[in-house]
Amino acid sequence: MQVKLNGEIREVPEDITVAGLLAHLGVKAQRVAVEVNEAVVTKDRYDGHALRAGDSVEIVAFVGGG
Amino acid sequence: MADSWSLGKHTFTSRLLVGTGKYSDFATMQRALNASGAELVTVAVRRLDLSKKGDESLLGWIPKQMTLLPNTAACFTAEEAIRTARLGRELEMGDLVKLEVIGDKRTLFPDVEGLVEAAKVLVKEGFIVLPYTNDDPVTARKLEDVGCPAVMPLGAPIGSGLGIRNPYNLRIIMETVKVPVLVDAGVGTASDAAVAMELGAVGVLMNTAIAEAKDPVLMAEAMREAVSAGRKAFLAGRIPMKLHASASSPMTGLIGS
């Protein structure tokens, strides 16, 4: 299925969870925050939150800023 | 007695707040942060670059004793700023946010209407909202009214290094609100930071003035001393300005008189 990931359309396995997506991408969960369809998914819900086709996912981290 | 100040449950002794952007490398940033003596350090929230696996994390370079202050820089609407603040909280697990709602790309001046709107929502969600605002006393009062525990008027546009352009408005803001006033943005060199503190600011937040100095570590040290000197001068109480001289040596007992 397709989801929008950080603004780009990506093909991901059906019913993949947020935890699964992070593992699939090789991203360490503790250093990112995740938003699905403009709502934050807290870390305790990564395992239980399954993505659906067409979801808009944002994965963010801290960068230098003022 | 320590000359400290507070935001909610957080108490600080350093009055210099610094950013982490624009440094040539993380090692220089780390040395500058240490030299600044800052306790509050701003960071931005951005999309993770998924093409760079194992990319070095900024956080590893920020000294552990420093408290992170996530910002909502480059957000142009209240909605974007609110979403970014929530993501920052999820990353940091803290409650502080430097709230920016920008109204104009060229000047990066705040959109004060969006700012007050976003502040209202975030305060209700339990955030300690530090709003980056214009040097406008009316907006400062509105931000205080919606529950911001401090206001952060600009000294000059972000990254401009123009210094404290309107000291009178800053003074009026300090008279208008009861919450701490921190001067955020515009500082170019040490004397600018001292001026802000002499006016009665509780603190000064800066990034570019340190990060883009030829020697960021030395400038961080200079800023630390300037903020401290300005604070002491404010507490000491300056003399009134007079148009004419007032002799420091006795005018009597002169020889040959």
Side-chain angles (χ1 to χ4, degrees), chain A residues 1-20:
Chain A
M1 66 176 184
Q2 286 188 334
V3 296
K4 198 181 206 180
L5 178 56
N6 283 3
E8 286 178 17
I9 303 293
R10 289 257 198 148
E11 192 66 35
V12 296
E14 292 289 324
D15 299 326
I16 192 169
T17 62
V18 170

Side-chain angles (χ1 to χ4, degrees), chain B residues 29-106:
Chain B
M29 179 198 77
Q30 187 181 61
R31 283 189 289 129
L33 293 183
N34 279 320
S36 75
E39 293 168 311
L40 268 172
V41 177
T42 60
V43 289
V45 176
R46 290 292 179 273
R47 279 176 172 165
L48 188 70
D49 186 347
L50 297 168
S51 64
K52 285 194 214 166
K53 273 185 187 160
D55 197 27
E56 199 166 28
S57 165
L58 166 80
L59 294 187
W61 291 90
I62 298 177
K64 292 283 168 277
Q65 75 276 15
M66 295 181 180
T67 301
L68 296 184
L69 175 55
N71 71 27
T72 65
C75 290
F76 280 80
T77 64
E79 290 73 25
E80 282 169 17
I82 292 164
R83 280 173 63 193
T84 303
R86 288 171 181 159
L87 284 166
R89 175 157 71 178
E90 176 62 14
L91 276 168
E92 160 63 1
M93 306 313 285
D95 49 9
L96 295 160
V97 63
K98 171 182 161 180
L99 182 62
E100 290 186 30
V101 180
I102 302 300
D104 176 59
K105 276 201 172 105
R106 199 161 60 98

Side-chain angles (χ1 to χ4, degrees), chain B residues 34-187:
Chain B
N34 279 320
S36 75
E39 293 168 311
L40 268 172
V41 177
T42 60
V43 289
V45 176
R46 290 292 179 273
R47 279 176 172 165
L48 188 70
D49 186 347
L50 297 168
S51 64
K52 285 194 214 166
K53 273 185 187 160
D55 197 27
E56 199 166 28
S57 165
L58 166 80
L59 294 187
W61 291 90
I62 298 177
K64 292 283 168 277
Q65 75 276 15
M66 295 181 180
T67 301
L68 296 184
L69 175 55
N71 71 27
T72 65
C75 290
F76 280 80
T77 64
E79 290 73 25
E80 282 169 17
I82 292 164
R83 280 173 63 193
T84 303
R86 288 171 181 159
L87 284 166
R89 175 157 71 178
E90 176 62 14
L91 276 168
E92 160 63 1
M93 306 313 285
D95 49 9
L96 295 160
V97 63
K98 171 182 161 180
L99 182 62
E100 290 186 30
V101 180
I102 302 300
D104 176 59
K105 276 201 172 105
R106 199 161 60 98
T107 59
L108 297 179
F109 281 143
D111 171 355
V112 295
E113 206 178 347
L115 183 67
V116 174
E117 190 186 326
K120 201 184 286 181
V121 171
L122 292 171
V123 164
K124 279 191 187 136
E125 292 183 14
F127 283 91
I128 294 177
V129 180
L130 307 182
Y132 160 71
T133 180
N134 231 317
D135 55 1
D136 168 27
V138 176
T139 305
R141 194 179 57 220
K142 287 182 182 175
L143 290 163
E144 180 184 42
D145 286 346
V146 300
C148 296
V151 291
M152 305 205 296
L154 53 85
I158 293 172
S160 69
L162 288 171
I164 309 303
R165 299 302 310 272
N166 198 336
Y168 304 102
N169 270 33
L170 293 179
R171 275 178 58 188
I172 295 170
I173 290 173
M174 289 166 202
E175 280 180 12
T176 305
V177 299
K178 291 188 187 71
V179 294
V181 176
L182 295 106
V183 172
D184 179 6
V187 165

